[in-house]
Amino acid sequence: MRTDSSPGTLPAREHLPAGNAGTPVLDVVIPVYNEEKDLGPCVVRLHDHLKRTFPYAFRITVADNASTDTTPQVAQRLAADLAEVTSCRLEQKGRGRALRTVWSASDAPILAYMDVDLSTDLNALLPLVAPLISGHSDLAIGSRLARSSRVVRGAKREFISRTYNLILRGSLQARFSDAQCGFKAIRRDVAQVLLPLVEDTGWFFDTEMLVLAERAGLRIHEVPVDWVDDPDSTVHIVKTATDDLKGVWRVGKALTTGALPLDRLTRPFGDDPRDRDVQDVPKGLARQLVGFCVVGGLSTLFYLVLYSAFRSFSGSQVANALALLVSAVANTAANRRLTFGVRGRGGAVRHQAQGLVVFGIGLALTSGSLAALNAASSDPSHSTELAVLIAANLAATVLRFLLFRAWVFPDRDGAPGAEPTMSTTGATHNPSSPTCPSGGELQPYRQPYQPPGPLPQRPTHQPYAQSGATTTRFRAGEAADGTWRDATMQLQPVRPHDTDPGDPR
């Protein structure tokens, strides 16, 4: 995806190696609200599963969303009893708010979350995060709607889930299959750029994050899951559905107007080094040709309708000029957005002015054709005029594409001296014992990516530490000052002897 303002900011994906540093590779967040009964068994079961099966160091973070029961005390006890567990307290509700806050403060290169009811079978957790660790994908989601998924739930929830995903496909052109499954993961280098663009703080947070990531061209990996519905779920279905529809409208409007700076999320062309060595090959030429032809065909029909309407009360030359002028403005706007991927309002006036120059050339071709026809025949039929205009427009269309590509919307991504820029927010973290932020505003990212060194293998099993709980209280939406470090490094294999047998459950 290309814009006028930025050639892209994210580096190429690379494998996260194993090492001996103290930073966990995976941070699993469990957002909770008044879950005093389910929280303890959930965390113990997840902790036991990760200890036995996950080959890297990990952390489990309980994000309490302003609970009014004893959930905070339960979370503190778990953090005291289990060395890999921490807890955070937010004073405002909202699952999206909790995920944004904890993920923004985490130092782990892979960030995940799951619902407290553990409806999703935990055997899908390692397949979920493996593509992110390997550098293959940017985000990963569990899908209950994949063909090989096994799902147990009532007809009402099944209908709502499938209807919602059909709405996403029809309105936002989403290609992922399941936006609502509470089982997702994201690379931290992607999260630090993507999260500031996500506005929702509730249940629509997941959908908005996925839609923006997909529109920006990021790779989303889907994992079929086994899922059993929780009959005691406290989710308010009607209110959640209403909020989701409002979110769909808001995001759709922002995407249509080009208000979102999705160029911040672009990856380099090709993560394969062979792709980067290709010289003098136009990028996206085939796609641009298809888009231009579609826009051109629609513009031609629009032009012919306008010409026929104007011809009813004016001469052929006047009708041709007016129809071509109106259709040229619409054609330039459509090609700017759809064919050449230019978003936002920057340079729109200049592009329209250049489009009018191209329009002048097309006008000269079509007007000259009409003049030649009138010179050859004193009273040509209307159908003959249309045939001549179609032929002239085809010639003008070829010239218009060449001028659009080379002059009006040139691809400046590979221009010499062009430097990637980034304008986003980050959060400071403590490599040894990261906690939730205690205050302050997120600061713009200003430093280039720097590898932090090797990432750790999971340490050998140790008895539960009997230390004090690590719980931090803060106001929702706040994060610590500072910068991020990149988590992309060179490939090193995971030692196979560190993996344990699968979950026997």
Side-chain angles (χ1 to χ4, degrees):
M1 184 172 299
R2 179 171 57 83
T3 71
D4 282 350
S5 58
S6 172
T9 57
L10 288 174
R13 293 179 294 263
E14 296 184 10
H15 196 290
L16 300 177
N20 297 314
T23 303
V25 171
L26 174 65
D27 192 348
V28 182
V29 181
I30 303 177
V32 292
Y33 173 74
N34 290 348
E35 297 286 356
E36 58 185 2
K37 295 182 179 179
D38 295 335
L39 180 58
C42 161
V43 172
V44 171
R45 177 180 159 197
L46 175 60
H47 181 272
D48 177 67
H49 178 83
L50 289 171
K51 273 286 187 180
R52 291 184 294 104
T53 65
F54 193 67
Y56 292 94
F58 66 89
R59 181 192 305 122
I60 301 172
T61 302
V62 179
D64 174 29
N65 296 286
S67 295
T68 57
D69 59 3
T70 62
T71 296
Q73 290 73 30
V74 174
Q76 292 178 23
R77 287 198 299 270
L78 291 168
D81 294 340
L82 305 175
E84 292 83 5
V85 176
T86 62
S87 65
C88 291
R89 166 76 177 179
L90 288 88
E91 299 302 333
Q92 290 179 270
K93 291 177 60 178
R95 182 180 68 172
R97 178 180 287 110
L99 293 176
R100 183 204 314 277
T101 306
V102 177
W103 280 356
S104 297
S106 179
D107 57 345
I110 306 298
L111 310 169
Y113 96 89
M114 61 181 61
D115 292 335
V116 69
D117 55 17
L118 294 187
S119 296
T120 305
D121 181 35
L122 292 179
N123 286 324
L125 182 56
L126 185 55
L128 181 79
V129 301
L132 308 186
I133 294 175
S134 69
H136 174 270
S137 302
D138 300 295
L139 298 92
I141 64 173
S143 175
R144 300 163 296 182
L145 303 181
R147 289 184 178 274
S148 57
S149 298
R150 295 182 295 179
V151 177
V152 178
R153 61 176 168 182
K156 180 180 178 181
R157 285 184 175 271
E158 180 76 11
F159 174 78
I160 292 175
S161 179
R162 292 189 178 275
T163 301
Y164 180 65
N165 282 280
L166 285 176
I167 292 174
L168 292 181
R169 289 176 177 270
S171 59
L172 300 179
Q173 288 78 51
R175 294 189 298 272
F176 48 84
S177 65
D178 192 352
Q180 295 176 310
C181 182
F183 196 70
K184 296 181 176 68
I186 185 173
R187 287 176 64 102
R188 180 170 60 89
D189 58 342
V190 175
Q192 71 183 53
V193 186
L194 177 59
L195 293 183
L197 304 181
V198 181
E199 295 184 16
D200 192 79
T201 59
W203 293 95
F204 188 69
F205 175 88
D206 304 49
T207 302
E208 185 172 358
M209 178 180 68
L210 291 174
V211 169
L212 298 187
E214 186 176 72
R215 286 299 186 94
L218 299 181
R219 184 174 294 161
I220 301 175
H221 179 75
E222 295 197 21
V223 178
V225 297
D226 298 338
W227 194 85
V228 179
D229 187 19
D230 179 14
D232 299 324
S233 175
T234 59
V235 177
H236 195 291
I237 297 179
V238 176
K239 183 179 184 304
T240 301
T242 303
D243 292 341
D244 286 347
L245 292 177
K246 292 179 180 178
V248 169
W249 170 259
R250 174 177 55 79
V251 172
K253 181 180 178 181
L255 292 173
T256 302
T257 59
L260 292 167
L262 298 180
D263 55 304
R264 298 181 184 179
L265 299 167
T266 54
R267 288 284 190 188
F269 174 71
D271 289 331
D272 191 319
R274 293 172 296 180
D275 293 335
R276 303 171 199 159
D277 294 335
V278 175
Q279 301 295 328
D280 302 323
V281 176
K283 300 174 184 178
L285 178 59
R287 182 188 61 79
Q288 290 178 358
L289 278 173
V290 172
F292 185 82
C293 289
V294 172
V295 172
L298 295 176
S299 297
T300 300
L301 292 177
F302 184 49
Y303 162 80
L304 293 175
V305 171
L306 291 176
Y307 177 81
S308 298
F310 293 147
R311 188 67 175 85
S312 63
F313 60 83
S314 64
S316 60
Q317 293 288 3
V318 174
N320 173 65
L322 290 176
L324 195 57
L325 175 61
V326 175
S327 61
V329 172
N331 180 277
T332 300
N335 277 306
R336 181 179 188 270
R337 173 67 175 82
L338 301 176
T339 303
F340 298 96
V342 179
R343 302 177 184 275
R345 300 176 181 176
V349 175
R350 174 174 57 84
H351 292 154
Q352 283 293 349
Q354 292 172 314
L356 289 177
V357 174
V358 178
F359 152 75
I361 298 174
L363 178 61
L365 285 174
T366 53
S367 297
S369 300
L370 283 176
L373 177 63
N374 291 328
S377 176
S378 59
D379 188 21
S381 66
H382 184 62
S383 59
T384 303
E385 285 185 348
L386 290 180
V388 170
L389 288 173
I390 289 174
N393 269 284
L394 287 176
T397 297
V398 175
L399 182 59
R400 185 184 303 120
F401 176 76
L402 296 176
L403 290 175
F404 273 179
R405 182 174 174 83
W407 179 46
V408 183
F409 307 111
D411 188 351
R412 298 187 177 92
D413 290 359
E419 292 293 337
T421 59
M422 178 176 292
S423 176
T424 183
T425 54
T428 299
H429 58 268
N430 184 337
S432 59
S433 180
T435 60
C436 294
S438 58
E441 297 295 332
L442 295 174
Q443 298 296 319
Y445 179 88
R446 295 188 178 90
Q447 298 183 3
Y449 286 92
Q450 295 293 334
L455 291 167
Q457 282 289 112
R458 177 178 59 81
T460 56
H461 179 73
Q462 297 178 355
Y464 295 156
Q466 302 296 326
S467 59
T470 56
T471 303
T472 304
R473 183 182 300 270
F474 54 87
R475 293 192 301 274
E478 295 184 337
D481 295 343
T483 58
W484 292 73
R485 294 187 305 169
D486 184 29
T488 57
M489 283 159 270
Q490 297 300 318
L491 170 67
Q492 290 186 13
V494 178
R495 294 194 290 272
H497 61 267
D498 284 337
T499 56
D500 298 322
D503 191 342
R505 182 175 52 81

